[in-house]
Amino acid sequence: MKDIFDECKFSEFNIKSRVIRTGVWERQTEGGFLTSEVFDRYEDMAKSGVGLILSEIFAFDPKDRFYEYSANVNYRGFMKDYKQITDICHNYDVPILGQLAFFYYDDGDNQKAEPNDLTIEGIRKLQAEVIMVAKKFSFAGFDGIQINMGNNFYLSRFVNPYFNQREDEYGGNTMNRLRIVLEIIQLIKKTIGFHVSCRINIEDVRKNGMTQEESMKIAKLLAEHGADSIQITGRTISMKYDAEEKHVFQDYADKLSAEVDIPIILAGNLRDMKTMNMILNSSNVEFMSLSKPFVAQPDFLADWKENGDGTSICKGCNNCYSKKESRCFQYYEEKSD
């Protein structure tokens, strides 16, 4: 019987559990520097029994849509602050990946250049900027990078046939639309040599957009061309599923896990240990990620492990996401009463 607290291999990492933490926003700063609450949060997560940590979203362009709500790689204290963060994680033998996501892209001529607008020079500029972020992550002690090409972020649109109607080698068939990412992966592996994870959409329910069949092709190409792990997600505002009996991504994750040789991370609305263990023992899924439960209570896994069971206190109100905060409104209000 598999259990979420099994010690196991995740690509090149030995991890303490099958649970992956996924970060989103980072607003707890003072004068641009991280506050003590951020360091405490990471220590609480790292010592709780989490297997691997995905950081909050990092942005690199101050004009990007979510820049003010995100962590960033540009401020003076980045190296010092995040070297302390990664050291905290490593002190508890927890690997940590820096998550890169951007919504807009400034190619030098257009601050919001869409995939069809980019020249080859613009593509090279984008690739170079992603490589530079990966280098900064490496210097700060991260064990790898997650390229967020899911949800509605820029690279999700670039690989999506709904948005990408290019007629050159970066448009058309699946391989061409994915080429921009595959070249980035290969450069990171060659120049830095650390873990590259990709987050992809299972589908987006747009006519002539990303289908599950197309998404599966993308996942397999990523695995064949150097990606070390894949996290699956969705353009959730348009997902048309009945999730009462089964996790909405479980069948997809089950099939993909059986067909590629890299770790696949199941994400989305996982809240209790019983359900997670049931998924582990009824499918090929080996790893699962949670986001909002760690916002509500960063160290909840310690309680789950001690009790042999547990349900997150997260009420699913979504305020942390919609208000773009790295704190829980419900939980901290209750604690202060």
Side-chain angles (χ1 to χ4, degrees):
M1 292 285 287
K2 292 186 289 186
D3 186 85
I4 63 170
F5 290 109
D6 291 337
E7 295 186 5
C8 53
K9 292 283 291 186
F10 181 95
S11 188
E12 70 269 39
F13 305 123
N14 295 312
I15 61 175
K16 295 181 178 181
S17 75
R18 300 179 186 273
V19 181
I20 315 298
R21 178 270 188 168
T22 299
V24 184
W25 312 117
E26 185 56 88
R27 295 282 294 276
Q28 290 179 298
T29 59
E30 289 181 358
F33 294 84
L34 300 181
T35 64
S36 60
E37 288 83 1
V38 179
F39 299 97
D40 291 343
R41 182 203 316 155
Y42 271 92
E43 183 158 22
D44 286 342
M45 290 189 296
K47 68 184 181 182
S48 72
V50 69
L52 180 144
I53 290 176
L54 297 171
S55 77
E56 281 73 25
I57 290 170
F58 277 90
F60 60 81
D61 184 350
K63 300 181 293 299
D64 201 6
R65 178 177 177 180
F66 300 121
Y67 188 84
E68 66 177 299
Y69 316 119
S70 304
N72 76 77
V73 296
N74 299 321
Y75 72 103
R76 286 186 298 113
F78 165 78
M79 204 67 66
K80 180 176 181 293
D81 278 356
Y82 281 95
K83 186 62 172 66
Q84 290 184 49
I85 293 289
T86 58
D87 282 348
I88 288 170
C89 296
H90 294 154
N91 285 341
Y92 292 96
D93 298 320
V94 176
I96 176 171
L97 309 184
Q99 178 192 169
L100 174 64
F102 51 99
F103 193 87
Y104 297 132
Y105 184 66
D106 182 354
D107 66 355
D109 296 319
N110 185 345
Q111 292 183 7
K112 298 179 181 179
E114 286 299 323
N116 296 330
D117 302 327
L118 290 185
T119 63
I120 296 300
E121 290 75 16
I123 287 174
R124 296 290 175 261
K125 179 176 181 290
L126 184 154
Q127 291 174 322
E129 293 196 39
V130 174
I131 301 300
M132 186 57 65
V133 171
K135 285 183 178 292
K136 288 184 176 181
F137 285 166
S138 177
F139 295 151
F142 286 94
D143 299 289
I145 181 172
Q146 182 179 78
I147 301 171
N148 190 332
M149 45 189 287
N151 307 113
N152 281 312
F153 288 109
Y154 192 86
L155 290 174
S156 76
R157 304 199 300 278
F158 203 105
V159 303
N160 191 324
Y162 179 88
F163 294 100
N164 184 336
Q165 289 91 38
R166 298 177 68 97
E167 296 181 353
D168 60 4
E169 65 268 37
Y170 291 93
N173 62 38
T174 309
M175 180 69 180
N176 282 356
R177 283 181 280 107
L178 191 58
R179 189 183 305 278
I180 186 173
V181 177
L182 299 182
E183 290 175 344
I184 288 170
I185 293 171
Q186 290 166 356
L187 282 168
I188 291 175
K189 303 302 286 188
K190 181 178 179 180
T191 60
I192 306 173
F194 67 176
H195 189 102
V196 179
S197 180
C198 295
R199 189 186 304 189
I200 65 170
N201 289 334
I202 178 176
E203 62 177 306
D204 67 1
V205 201
R206 288 186 177 99
K207 184 178 180 180
N208 300 320
M210 186 65 64
T211 64
Q212 289 196 27
E213 180 182 11
E214 182 70 5
S215 175
M216 192 71 69
K217 290 180 183 177
I218 285 174
K220 291 178 181 179
L221 284 169
L222 289 168
E224 291 169 9
H225 289 80
D228 296 294
S229 63
I230 293 173
Q231 182 181 27
I232 59 173
T233 184
R235 184 174 157 264
T236 54
I237 60 170
S238 62
M239 298 301 287
K240 297 179 180 178
Y241 290 99
D242 180 358
E244 292 182 4
E245 295 184 3
K246 186 183 293 187
H247 190 285
V248 295
F249 303 148
Q250 183 176 332
D251 287 342
Y252 180 98
D254 185 25
K255 181 180 179 182
L256 182 58
S257 296
E259 295 186 11
V260 299
D261 292 327
I262 63 174
I264 304 301
I265 307 168
L266 176 66
N269 295 322
L270 295 163
R271 293 287 186 271
D272 67 277
M273 186 172 171
K274 180 179 179 181
T275 297
M276 293 169 71
N277 277 334
M278 181 181 66
I279 292 171
L280 283 175
N281 289 287
S282 61
S283 71
N284 294 304
V285 173
E286 299 280 348
F287 305 98
M288 286 173 277
S289 71
L290 296 84
S291 177
K292 298 179 186 70
F294 282 103
V295 177
Q297 185 183 359
D299 60 353
F300 72 93
L301 285 176
D303 294 337
W304 286 19
K305 188 170 185 179
E306 180 179 354
N307 298 329
D309 195 11
T311 299
S312 171
I313 64 171
C314 174
K315 298 178 179 179
C317 67
N318 214 37
N319 277 335
C320 59
Y321 184 85
S322 61
K323 294 183 179 181
K324 298 180 174 54
E325 291 279 358
S326 46
R327 64 186 179 91
C328 176
F329 294 84
Q330 300 254 10
Y331 179 52
Y332 287 109
E333 285 175 2
E334 289 176 2
K335 282 183 66 177
S336 63
D337 288 345

